């Protein structure tokens, strides 16, 4: 098991190194001068040209690419993601300040989706090819196909504009006002949960149907075990590793994939921060957010792989 973890961790470090290289290179090649953006309109004045050149030297922009990348990576390893050109604040502080909103959205969406998708998948697997099973399959396809931004706008029109039940947008910290926080989280969570419910239901249903057809399930049933015991102790237990993998992948994706939902609902999380950084041409903040999201996704994937190996002893024995 230790060798398995070390190998996965090594693969994660290599992936993050490649991501950091690509992010730094792509943004460095983008149009615009970071030094001029930092100085603002004053950079266009002729008398400020010497100051602009000194700033370029201080920022290392006069050095070759590999030297700039090495210096930047050395700071990143120490936890220094740079300073935002627009706000003048540390990028790490800006990201950590928005992280609780994104984590809350992720956690609530995953928990709500599992609470709904697991019973639906079990009901569909127990009655394959029935009207219930076919209806759930059709709804799952529809849930995956519905665009998140469109669904979010429909929810705002219905529950905020027409009915006036929920606030249309904005984020309130949970500790400041728990009720208002949950009311504002309801529609973003519902928007993300539609896709997650469809995905979880489809995967778990397929795995349960396959497991329920195995010989050991028939043997357990023939021994007189209760149907509920056969389902939860044997079938669901063996379908759990696949569900765990899907949940881990989707949870990691939501760290950066909820950008559209955060923008639609004004939910000021990491995704919303990334959009603002792009619109403001804040290169340092864009680099920091992309690298942070990639690291978060990699860590979630690593935990998912470790959990899968723990749930499936066959993988441990071959690693």
């Amino acid at each position: 098991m230790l060798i398995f973890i070390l190998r996965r961790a090594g693969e994660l470090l290599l992936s993050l190194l490649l991501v950091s290289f690509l992010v730094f290179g792509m943004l460095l090649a983008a149009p615009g001068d970071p030094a001029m953006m930092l100085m603002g309109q004053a950079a266009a004045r002729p008398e400020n040209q010497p100051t602009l050149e000194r700033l370029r030297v201080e920022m290392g922009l006069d050095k070759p690419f590999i030297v700039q990348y090495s210096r930047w990576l050395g700071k990143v390893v120490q936890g220094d993601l740079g300073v935002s050109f627009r706000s003048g604040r540390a990028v790490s502080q800006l990201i950590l300040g928005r992280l609780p909103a994104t984590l809350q959205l992720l956690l609530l969406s995953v928990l709500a989706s599992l609470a709904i998708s697991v019973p639906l998948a079990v009901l569909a697997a127990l009655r394959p090819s029935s009207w219930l099973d076919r209806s759930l399959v059709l709804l799952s396809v529809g849930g995956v196909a519905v665009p998140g931004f469109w669904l979010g706008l429909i929810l705002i029109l219905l529950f905020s504009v027409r009915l006036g039940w929920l606030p249309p947008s904005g984020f309130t910290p949970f500790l400041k006002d728990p009720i208002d926080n949950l009311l504002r989280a309801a529609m973003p969570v519902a928007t993300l949960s539609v896709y997650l419910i469809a995905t979880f239901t489809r995967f778990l249903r397929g795995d349960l149907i396959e497991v329920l057809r195995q010989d050991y399930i028939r043997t357990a049933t023939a021994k007189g075990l209760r149907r509920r015991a056969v389902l939860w102790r044997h079938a669901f237990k063996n379908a759990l590793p696949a569900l765990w993998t899907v949940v881990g992948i989707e949870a990691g994706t939501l760290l950066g994939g909820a950008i559209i939902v955060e923008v639609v609902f004004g939910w000021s999380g990491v995704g919303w921060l990334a959009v603002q950084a792009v619109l403001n041409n804040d290169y340092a903040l864009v680099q920091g957010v992309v690298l942070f999201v990639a690291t978060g996704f990699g860590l979630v994937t690593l935990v998912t792989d470790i959990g899968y190996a723990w749930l499936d002893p066959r993988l441990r024995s071959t690693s």
Side-chain angles (χ1 to χ4, degrees), residues 20 153 192 198 206 258:
S20 67
L153 293 175
L192 293 175

Side-chain angles (χ1 to χ4, degrees), residues 113-251:
S113 301
L114 287 174
I116 297 174
S117 60
V118 170
L120 291 179
V122 170
L123 290 175
L126 291 176
R127 299 173 179 83
S129 300
S130 63
W131 67 269
L132 177 61
D133 181 37
R134 294 175 180 175
S135 300
L136 290 176
V137 171
L138 182 61
L139 291 175
S140 297
V141 174
V144 173
V146 172
F149 72 92
W150 178 84
L151 180 59
L153 293 175
I154 293 298
L155 292 178
I156 291 175
L157 288 174
L158 178 60
F159 292 102
S160 296
V161 179
R162 292 283 182 88
L163 301 177
W165 291 353
L166 298 172
S169 62
F171 170 75
T172 301
F174 182 81
L175 296 179
K176 182 178 180 181
D177 191 339
I179 302 300
D180 188 62
N181 171 272
L182 294 177
L183 288 176
R184 293 180 183 276
M187 289 192 291
V189 168
T191 302
L192 293 175
S193 296
V194 168
Y195 170 79
L196 293 178
I197 290 171
T199 303
F200 296 163
T201 302
R202 184 177 57 176
F203 276 92
L204 183 57
R205 168 196 169 274
D207 289 332
L208 282 175
I209 290 177
E210 183 178 353
V211 171
L212 289 171
R213 292 173 178 171
Q214 299 299 317
D215 292 337
Y216 69 90
I217 296 295
R218 298 192 187 97
T219 302
T221 305
K223 287 182 178 180
L225 292 178
R226 284 181 162 185
R227 190 179 186 184
R228 180 180 300 178
V230 173
L231 176 64
W232 295 107
R233 294 182 184 178
H234 298 279
F236 187 79
K237 181 179 179 180
N238 285 278
L240 187 58
L243 177 62
W244 170 264
T245 301
V246 176
V247 171
I249 293 174
E250 295 299 335

